[in-house]
Amino acid sequence: AVGEPRTAALLNSLYVAILIPALLLGATSAGPVGAAWACLITALINTPLNLTILLRRLEMPAKQLFAAMWRPLPAAAIMYLTVTAFLG
């Protein structure tokens, strides 16, 4: 967001505009669990938009980003499965 304060402000405003109604709906219908789902769904909506804008601003192909992330993503999945198995 350095040098792009307008873009950062717009993206954060959009995030809040989606999050607040989602939190109200989720929390009133399912309590804390509904609020947690609202946060997750809002992040899932917002993340692809943020990544798209970031890649365009950096003039970076998506392939380059995913080439750097292919190892951490399965490692995180394996760690999640391991922790879940031990706690579970």
Side-chain angles (χ1 to χ4, degrees):
V2 175
E4 297 281 345
R6 184 170 184 268
T7 302
L10 286 172
L11 287 171
N12 286 326
S13 297
L14 177 63
Y15 181 75
V16 170
I18 296 169
L19 180 62
I20 289 174
L23 278 173
L24 291 173
L25 179 66
T28 55
S29 64
V33 173
W37 275 107
C39 290
L40 175 65
I41 290 168
T42 303
L44 290 174
I45 292 169
N46 206 36
T47 300
L49 178 63
N50 284 340
L51 282 176
T52 301
I53 292 172
L54 175 70
L55 292 173
R56 285 185 184 167
R57 297 279 192 224
L58 293 176
E59 298 177 3
M60 172 191 268
K63 189 175 184 179
Q64 186 177 353
L65 174 67
F66 293 117
M69 293 178 63
W70 77 268
R71 286 178 293 204
L73 289 175
I78 291 168
M79 183 171 50
Y80 167 78
L81 293 172
T82 304
V83 170
T84 303
F86 280 111
L87 295 178

